[in-house]
Amino acid sequence: MLYKSTRGGASNVTFSQAVKMGIAPDGGLFVPQENCVLTAEEFQNMASLSYKDLAIAIISKYAGDFTPEDIEKAVCNAYCSGSFPLEDPAPVVSVSESLNVLELWHGPTSAFKDMALQILPEFMTKSNQICGDGKEIVILTATSGDTGKAALEGFQDVPGIRVIVFYPEDGVSQMQKYQMITQEGKNVHVIAVNGNFDDAQTGVKGIFGDQDFAVLLAEKGYELSSANSINWGRLLPQIIYYFHGYYSLVKQGKINLGDKINIAVPTGNFGNILASYYAMKMGMPVNRIICASNDNNVLTDFLHTGTYDANRTFMTTISPAMDILVSSNLERLLYDITGGDSEAVASYMAALKTDGLYSVDSKTSDTLQNLFWAGYATEQETEETIHHVYEDYGYLADTHTAVGIHVYEKYVSATGDQTQTLAASTASPFKFNKSVAEALFGCEALEGMTEFQLLDYLSEQTGQQIPEPLKGLDKKQVLHKGVCLPKDMETCISEILGVTQ
Ligand SMILES: *Cc1c(COP(=O)(O)O)cnc(C)c1O
């Protein structure tokens, strides 16, 4: 499989080149050059595979310049070497008659980002061996909280690679912040940005687009790459778990092989939900994909009206990983839905950059509406959902998962559709323990408790175990204290790498 840019400026790019570059030179995102569709026989045979073998089967379709041994090694290192302690890395838990959650947070950082960021370093190292020219790769990452930690954990002490993470100073939970600022490793750097996630992401995108800076870095032996979901190497591993979820429903007797299911995804940068779209394109039977947002409901409006308008107030919510107004991966969907019209995509993205908005034509909008159902949850609705899902079904959902479940419930009331649904559960409730505990017990009951005391409290009250990696974070040494303004991010990188501009 070869790759090209959504904006038309690059084609015939190999998997390893796409992974190593992260973003296309014209600012577009890499997408597969052809459709990859499973035969009926392949789809059937994959039903009985373990997660590991399923991963190998799917990755083999896309990683054309990796040998079968490379792929097997990458998959084993990521999923079978203890990072995911459960036998099933992504278990499906039945919540109600037709709602099932796909738990994606049993990895080392307790959020779904691990599903991809445990294997991306494997892809990156191999890609650099295949098509690198001996430069040290610098992974530059803007994070709304979870990507940063998962990237740090995945790339910690990987030879030939450095990681620099920028996070919004006041835009992440205490638990997320502690996870990052206590990160160990000789090759990791963590910096707070005085701004929100969009500021950090825009800053990083600007640095990727700065050709002079790239030349300067190259002279010093460095090359930038990305661990954000703009990197195809992040998206690919996410396709696997949707198939795995589907086959799990078959095994549990909830559906027969070939039945359609709905997918509900709490969405931020549109990466996770896009992976479900790719799974569908490959042949997984899907009825509706439910796109759930929080108060930053730019995607809800877009899917309802065909106009993407980022000119609105950025809201800081209790589901911070979804506090995003510019959802990067939507670009890949637009490319696909318009039948590969890179001119149209480039013009939408140019308009987004200059005016903060663009509109797609009515045909595109109709196509989107036939497949996606969009809605959002307010802060209060999110809290109520955490409460009611726990009371009614005994399921403890984190704030992001609750947004997804709420919008799914709205969808059911609006349509009456009882199709079996797989809702992505994207973080452990303990990672967002303060908001979860407040939703369950009210603020008064928690007064005076620190986030770390709350971990124990939540565990005692619900009888659920605190994930190992979140325990004892407050006792760890703070190793990263740097702060910078969005406009100084490039300078900050120069200082870290010892490159003078
Ligand atoms: C990143 C994240 C999301 C949003 O995923 P996207 O791929 O950016 O849409 C949702 N929930 C949690 C917990 C996350 O970490």
Side-chain angles (χ1 to χ4, degrees):
M1 176 72 77
L2 293 170
Y3 295 83
K4 59 186 171 184
S5 165
T6 46
R7 300 189 195 173
S11 58
N12 295 328
V13 171
T14 62
F15 176 71
S16 57
Q17 287 168 331
V19 167
K20 192 164 75 72
M21 286 194 264
I23 190 164
D26 62 352
L29 306 186
F30 286 117
V31 284
Q33 212 151 287
E34 293 134 48
N35 282 334
C36 172
V37 183
L38 301 173
T39 64
E41 199 188 350
E42 281 175 319
F43 178 67
Q44 196 163 5
N45 291 342
M46 276 169 37
S48 56
L49 298 183
S50 64
Y51 199 90
K52 173 190 153 203
D53 291 328
L54 184 63
I56 291 173
I58 290 172
I59 293 168
S60 301
K61 297 272 175 199
Y62 290 96
D65 55 349
F66 277 32
T67 66
E69 293 74 35
D70 295 337
I71 294 172
E72 177 157 5
K73 183 167 163 256
V75 167
C76 286
N77 287 345
Y79 303 116
C80 328
S81 63
S83 299
F84 294 87
L86 301 185
E87 196 186 330
D88 182 349
V92 172
V93 177
S94 170
V95 172
S96 69
E97 194 66 29
S98 50
L99 174 64
N100 312 273
V101 292
L102 174 61
E103 290 187 343
L104 302 171
W105 41 264
H106 293 284
T109 76
S110 307
F112 94 92
K113 305 294 196 289
D114 290 326
M115 300 303 299
L117 278 162
Q118 281 296 305
I119 196 165
L120 183 65
E122 306 288 331
F123 289 163
M124 191 66 76
T125 304
K126 192 72 221 171
S127 297
N128 204 23
Q129 282 167 15
I130 294 173
C131 63
D133 50 9
K135 289 198 189 68
E136 182 168 356
I137 293 188
V138 179
I139 303 282
L140 199 55
T141 293
T143 184
S144 54
D146 289 335
T147 296
K149 176 60 181 179
L152 291 164
E153 197 64 37
F155 284 103
Q156 176 187 355
D157 293 327
V158 172
I161 299 182
R162 289 242 213 159
V163 193
I164 303 179
V165 169
F166 291 100
Y167 70 93
E169 196 174 13
D170 299 315
V172 300
S173 81
Q174 193 78 2
M175 207 55 71
Q176 290 177 309
K177 185 169 178 170
Y178 263 83
Q179 280 188 312
M180 290 190 279
I181 61 180
T182 60
Q183 176 69 41
E184 293 166 14
K186 289 189 279 295
N187 62 339
V188 300
H189 309 270
V190 180
I191 299 119
V193 175
N194 235 304
N196 62 36
F197 171 67
D198 279 324
D199 296 326
Q201 173 154 273
T202 306
V204 163
K205 280 188 189 162
I207 294 166
F208 276 119
D210 183 345
Q211 294 307 321
D212 294 339
F213 191 54
V215 170
L216 183 75
L217 289 181
E219 281 167 6
K220 303 284 177 180
Y222 295 113
E223 181 177 3
L224 295 178
S225 188
S226 169
N228 281 99
S229 56
I230 53 175
N231 194 319
W232 176 255
R234 264 282 299 274
L235 269 187
L236 172 56
Q238 300 182 170
I239 299 174
I240 303 160
Y241 53 69
Y242 285 108
F243 277 100
H244 175 74
Y246 182 92
Y247 294 133
S248 299
L249 289 179
V250 175
K251 284 183 197 132
Q252 293 174 9
K254 288 253 177 166
I255 56 168
N256 293 315
L257 196 73
D259 289 351
K260 287 188 174 178
I261 61 167
N262 295 326
I263 310 267
V265 187
T267 301
N269 228 348
F270 212 77
N272 198 3
I273 194 169
L274 185 71
S276 76
Y277 173 81
Y278 281 118
M280 181 199 75
K281 298 247 315 175
M282 288 179 75
M284 192 178 92
V286 171
N287 175 47
R288 269 300 179 86
I289 301 178
I290 298 160
C291 176
S293 299
N294 63 21
D295 275 329
N296 295 290
N297 55 0
V298 58
L299 285 166
T300 314
D301 291 347
F302 171 65
L303 290 167
H304 289 169
T305 65
T307 295
Y308 193 98
D309 188 354
N311 300 308
R312 57 181 77 204
T313 309
F314 181 95
M315 312 283 239
T316 300
T317 73
I318 55 173
S319 45
M322 299 162 68
D323 290 347
I324 294 176
L325 293 179
V326 179
S327 293
S328 303
N329 273 294
L330 189 60
E331 179 167 350
R332 285 188 166 107
L333 178 68
L334 289 172
Y335 177 85
D336 210 82
I337 294 277
T338 58
D341 188 345
S342 45
E343 247 170 71
V345 172
S347 73
Y348 297 150
M349 293 306 131
L352 183 63
K353 197 168 177 192
T354 50
D355 310 325
L357 103 173
Y358 61 87
S359 297
V360 299
D361 58 43
S362 59
K363 182 168 159 264
T364 306
S365 187
D366 289 348
T367 313
L368 288 170
Q369 281 182 17
N370 282 332
L371 180 58
F372 291 90
W373 197 91
Y376 72 101
T378 62
E379 296 287 271
Q380 193 185 341
E381 286 168 334
T382 307
E383 289 182 359
E384 281 166 6
T385 304
I386 293 172
H387 197 265
H388 117 79
V389 168
Y390 186 67
E391 290 294 321
D392 296 344
Y393 308 120
Y395 188 77
L396 191 59
D398 98 290
T399 48
H400 305 78
T401 306
V403 169
I405 293 178
H406 176 76
V407 175
Y408 162 73
E409 290 179 334
K410 259 189 192 161
Y411 166 80
V412 174
S413 354
T415 61
D417 183 13
Q418 291 299 325
T419 302
Q420 287 295 325
T421 298
L422 208 52
S425 176
T426 51
S428 157
F430 289 95
K431 194 158 185 181
F432 299 93
N433 55 356
K434 184 156 185 277
S435 306
V436 171
E438 279 176 7
L440 292 181
F441 313 116
C443 296
E444 280 108 74
L446 312 174
E447 231 170 81
M449 285 192 224
T450 68
E451 281 213 22
F452 296 99
Q453 290 166 329
L454 274 176
L455 275 183
D456 294 321
Y457 185 74
L458 189 59
S459 176
E460 280 156 22
Q461 296 294 316
T462 62
Q464 305 219 6
Q465 298 225 333
I466 306 168
E468 249 349 282
L470 296 179
K471 287 186 192 162
L473 267 182
D474 52 335
K475 313 244 161 26
K476 289 181 92 175
Q477 196 188 346
V478 173
L479 300 169
H480 307 275
K481 295 181 181 158
V483 184
C484 83
L485 291 170
K487 67 173 177 54
D488 295 332
M489 288 166 65
E490 198 169 281
T491 315
C492 187
I493 296 169
S494 302
E495 279 167 14
I496 288 170
L497 299 176
V499 179
T500 37
Q501 300 207 50

